[in-house]
Amino acid sequence: MNNFIFLGAPGAGKGSLAVKVAEEYKIPHISTGDIFRANIKAQTPLGVKVKAIIDSGSLVSDDLTFELVKDRLSQDDCKNGFILDGFPRTIPQAEMLEGLGIELKCVNFEISEDIVIKRLSTRRVCKACGANYNTLSLPPKVEGVCDKCGGEIYQRDDDKPESIKHRMEVYKEQTAPLIDFYSKKGNMTNLDASIETPILLGEFEKIFAK
């Protein structure tokens, strides 16, 4: 069963690799952000709760986040596997997930803070379609203009160096303990996330073909 958890710091490349793995294995790439947005848009009972919490400026609790993820994993497209990206974020969330009795393979994306800062501070995003660019490795054909839709390309506030450092601190405090949690269970594999996504996909496939 291909049930994966992707762990790693912001900018480690989890999302980019998840898209490739989802295509290759024909399994859904699931992020908590997508789940929140889908439930809010559909105005489900859980979505209504989440919207009220977010609108108030509060954080969505571990319990409610887990209920949303649990509901998503019960859907038909997850029967042959899935990739969880951004969940679990905390030990309580991991313990709730363990309670479902699902066999999981955890992948930890190892990367230095210096590389994260370089990657994210050079990232640019299209305001219209959300396409990602990088001023060093993947610039648009016309500066400031999206190749795909012609929308405006900009730098997100959380991709500025001072914000990246704060995000790394939050990651170390909240999510890094999960590495120890899954290591002790013996179901975690480390990947060198400093390499480019196409090469990283090859390394991923070699590990999980064993």
Side-chain angles (χ1 to χ4, degrees), residues 100-167:
L100 294 179
I102 299 172
E103 183 182 339
L104 298 163
K105 300 172 184 177
C106 187
V107 185
N108 177 40
F109 290 63
E110 293 186 316
I111 193 166
S112 72
E113 187 167 336
D114 287 345
I115 294 176
V116 167
I117 291 172
K118 183 178 179 180
R119 276 187 183 175
L120 293 185
S121 63
T122 55
R123 181 168 65 177
R124 299 293 184 269
V125 182
C126 174
K127 283 186 177 180
C129 71
N132 282 299
Y133 295 90
N134 188 287
T135 57
L136 297 177
S137 61
L138 188 64
K141 293 174 183 175
V142 178
E143 187 175 351
V145 180
C146 178
D147 294 347
K148 296 180 180 180
C149 74
E152 179 188 350
I153 294 173
Y154 77 113
Q155 182 180 35
R156 293 174 6 183
D157 287 340
D158 61 355
D159 281 344
K160 293 175 181 175
E162 59 275 16
S163 296
I164 297 167
K165 289 179 181 178
H166 174 69
R167 290 167 68 190

Side-chain angles (χ1 to χ4, degrees), residues 3 12 28 36 38 70 80 122 162 193 200:
N3 300 323
F36 287 171
K70 180 182 176 183
N80 295 320
T122 55
E162 59 275 16
L200 192 58

Side-chain angles (χ1 to χ4, degrees), residues 9-180:
K14 302 186 301 300
S16 296
L17 186 65
V19 170
K20 298 290 185 184
V21 173
E23 291 173 356
E24 188 87 8
Y25 287 69
K26 303 295 186 290
I27 57 177
H29 168 208
I30 300 169
S31 75
T32 47
D34 290 342
I35 295 173
F36 287 171
R37 284 187 287 273
N39 277 270
I40 290 170
K41 185 176 180 180
Q43 296 185 328
T44 66
L46 288 173
V48 171
K49 285 184 182 179
V50 169
K51 187 175 187 304
I53 292 167
I54 293 174
D55 287 348
S56 72
S58 302
L59 293 175
V60 180
S61 69
D62 285 340
D63 287 342
L64 182 52
T65 301
F66 172 70
E67 286 303 315
L68 286 159
V69 172
K70 180 182 176 183
D71 177 71
R72 179 67 185 87
L73 295 181
S74 71
Q75 295 175 23
D76 286 344
D77 64 341
C78 293
K79 286 181 178 177
N80 295 320
F82 53 80
I83 304 162
L84 284 174
D85 174 10
F87 183 92
R89 285 189 185 274
T90 64
I91 296 297
Q93 289 180 359
E95 291 171 341
M96 291 178 201
L97 186 59
E98 287 285 310
L100 294 179
I102 299 172
E103 183 182 339
L104 298 163
K105 300 172 184 177
C106 187
V107 185
N108 177 40
F109 290 63
E110 293 186 316
I111 193 166
S112 72
E113 187 167 336
D114 287 345
I115 294 176
V116 167
I117 291 172
K118 183 178 179 180
R119 276 187 183 175
L120 293 185
S121 63
T122 55
R123 181 168 65 177
R124 299 293 184 269
V125 182
C126 174
K127 283 186 177 180
C129 71
N132 282 299
Y133 295 90
N134 188 287
T135 57
L136 297 177
S137 61
L138 188 64
K141 293 174 183 175
V142 178
E143 187 175 351
V145 180
C146 178
D147 294 347
K148 296 180 180 180
C149 74
E152 179 188 350
I153 294 173
Y154 77 113
Q155 182 180 35
R156 293 174 6 183
D157 287 340
D158 61 355
D159 281 344
K160 293 175 181 175
E162 59 275 16
S163 296
I164 297 167
K165 289 179 181 178
H166 174 69
R167 290 167 68 190
M168 288 296 293
E169 288 303 314
V170 171
Y171 164 74
K172 288 173 187 175
E173 290 172 13
Q174 294 184 353
T175 311
L178 290 168
I179 296 169
D180 187 52

